[in-house]
């Protein structure tokens, strides 16, 4: 049995202040015995100017202050850390990847997942619209990492709406999925609980959903409601609003018994027309 943590933040446009707050919350998670902690999407910066934010702060793989921060915290605390998302330089310099980086307890990069599904939407009934593809290069492959406390899939925010990605992670053996997010308030109120719990139930896996909350520069509002959800769909811990740390014990022997006694994953059938 291992203890995992999800962290909720309200990041602003001062990276130094955001990192200081993230460090304090990671310390709180470690003090509660967490072996793994998940930071939210854009943990180091939520700016009113997304393009400038991403191009000015984009890092090269393995080199940059936000990667260094996460690696140092992991080593100092002896804890695995999912470093939310970090803008990582891509072939198009105007469109960095949104990289979700997993660091092990020695501070070594263990896995990197680039957000595959980009938030290009107009919110129904509101004037808000988003075009994430204008500032972000999409990833192309699911990622599942081996950890001492189970096989961990990585996904980011809008990925939550695409069950085929989670099924692909399940086929790679995922027992838990870390989901750094910054869901908008309207979409969060409509679908956050439904989708997080659905992904847990249909894949019989733990969901570690770490969210931004509150108001950010430029007027964007994030929904919050970070959650830890068990494979049967129970929300075992939730942080509705405010900064916070949620911890929960993950028991993979219980997961194995559940999957053995309720083998829905083995019963999956596809129509012959689906390849």
């Amino acid at each position: 049995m291992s203890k995992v943590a999800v962290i909720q933040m309200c990041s602003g446009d001062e990276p130094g202040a955001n990192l200081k707050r993230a460090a304090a919350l990671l310390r709180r998670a470690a003090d509660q015995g967490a072996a793994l902690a998940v930071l939210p999407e854009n943990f180091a910066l939520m700016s009113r100017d997304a393009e400038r934010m991403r191009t000015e702060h984009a890092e090269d793989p393995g080199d940059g202050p936000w990667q260094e921060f996460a690696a140092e915290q992991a080593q100092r605390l002896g804890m695995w850390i999912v470093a939310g998302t970090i803008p990582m330089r891509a072939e198009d310099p105007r469109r960095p990847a949104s990289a979700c980086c997993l660091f092990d307890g020695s501070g070594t990069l263990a896995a990197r997942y680039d957000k595959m599904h980009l938030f290009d939407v107009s919110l129904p009934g509101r004037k808000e619209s988003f075009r994430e593809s204008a500032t972000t290069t999409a990833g192309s492959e699911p990622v599942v990492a081996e950890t001492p406390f189970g096989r961990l899939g990585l996904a980011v925010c809008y990925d939550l709406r695409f069950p085929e990605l989670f099924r692909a992670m399940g086929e790679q053996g995922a027992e838990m999925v870390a989901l750094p997010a910054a869901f908008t308030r309207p979409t969060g109120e409509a679908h956050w609980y439904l989708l997080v719990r659905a992904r847990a139930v249909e894949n019989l896996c733990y969901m570690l959903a770490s969210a931004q909350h509150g108001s950010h520069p430029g007027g964007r509002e994030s929904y919050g409601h970070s959650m830890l959800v068990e494979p049967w769909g129970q929300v075992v811990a939730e942080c509705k609003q405010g900064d916070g740390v949620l911890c929960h014990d993950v028991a993979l022997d219980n997961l194995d018994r559940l999957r053995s006694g309720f083998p829905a994953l083995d019963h999956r059938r596809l129509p012959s027309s689906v390849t």
Side-chain angles (χ1 to χ4, degrees):
M1 184 176 292
S2 300
K3 184 166 287 188
V4 300
V6 299
I7 290 172
Q8 182 160 290
M9 296 178 61
C10 180
S11 299
D13 56 9
E14 294 292 337
N18 297 329
L19 296 183
K20 182 177 180 180
R21 184 58 178 154
L25 293 166
L26 288 167
R27 166 58 67 183
R28 192 190 305 178
D31 289 345
Q32 294 181 42
L36 165 72
V38 184
L39 288 166
E41 185 179 20
N42 298 326
F43 71 96
L45 184 63
M46 287 282 285
S47 171
R48 69 182 69 238
D49 187 341
E51 182 174 4
R52 182 178 178 185
M53 172 187 79
R54 294 181 59 73
T55 56
E56 288 190 0
H57 293 277
E59 299 183 358
D60 291 319
D63 181 23
W66 297 351
Q67 292 171 84
E68 291 173 5
F69 165 82
E72 289 171 1
Q73 291 295 317
Q75 183 179 38
R76 180 178 295 115
L77 300 173
M79 181 171 64
W80 289 58
I81 293 175
V82 178
T85 56
I86 297 171
M88 207 77 74
R89 289 190 178 93
E91 184 175 350
D92 183 345
R94 299 169 303 173
R95 299 168 60 241
S98 190
C100 179
C101 297
L102 171 67
F103 293 89
D104 68 17
S106 70
T108 300
L109 181 69
R112 169 184 163 181
Y113 164 73
D114 290 353
K115 184 178 183 181
M116 290 176 61
H117 300 96
L118 303 182
F119 195 51
D120 288 0
V121 303
S122 296
L123 300 185
R126 299 175 69 98
K127 295 181 180 179
E128 291 179 88
S129 64
F130 300 87
R131 293 294 178 268
E132 191 174 21
S133 64
T135 61
T136 305
T137 295
S140 59
E141 297 294 336
V143 172
V144 175
E146 293 283 349
T147 77
F149 24 84
R151 290 181 290 275
L152 177 69
L154 301 175
V156 177
C157 202
Y158 191 51
D159 284 333
L160 184 62
R161 294 183 180 274
F162 300 89
E164 60 272 18
L165 171 61
F166 290 78
R167 193 64 87 189
M169 289 189 282
E171 290 173 351
Q172 293 181 25
E175 297 160 310
M176 304 176 288
V177 175
L179 181 80
F183 250 60
T184 69
R185 180 172 294 278
T187 57
E189 289 173 347
H191 300 141
W192 176 250
Y193 286 98
L194 172 66
L195 291 171
V196 175
R197 294 185 66 206
R199 297 296 87 86
V201 170
E202 67 194 9
N203 296 290
L204 295 176
C205 70
Y206 291 90
M207 288 293 298
L208 319 180
S210 175
Q212 292 278 352
H213 76 91
S215 298
H216 310 285
R220 173 168 173 167
E221 289 188 86
S222 293
Y223 183 58
H225 295 263
S226 296
M227 289 188 288
L228 285 157
V229 182
E230 290 191 330
W232 200 242
Q234 304 100 317
V235 179
V236 293
E238 178 183 359
C239 182
K240 293 185 177 180
Q241 289 299 320
D243 288 4
V245 176
L246 304 172
C247 288
H248 181 63
D249 289 322
V250 169
L252 293 185
D253 53 346
N254 292 340
L255 175 62
D256 290 340
R257 283 194 291 271
L258 173 61
R259 288 181 170 182
S260 176
F262 194 85
L265 297 175
D266 296 333
H267 296 161
R268 182 174 177 234
R269 297 290 183 269
L270 292 175
S272 58
S273 61
V274 177
T275 57

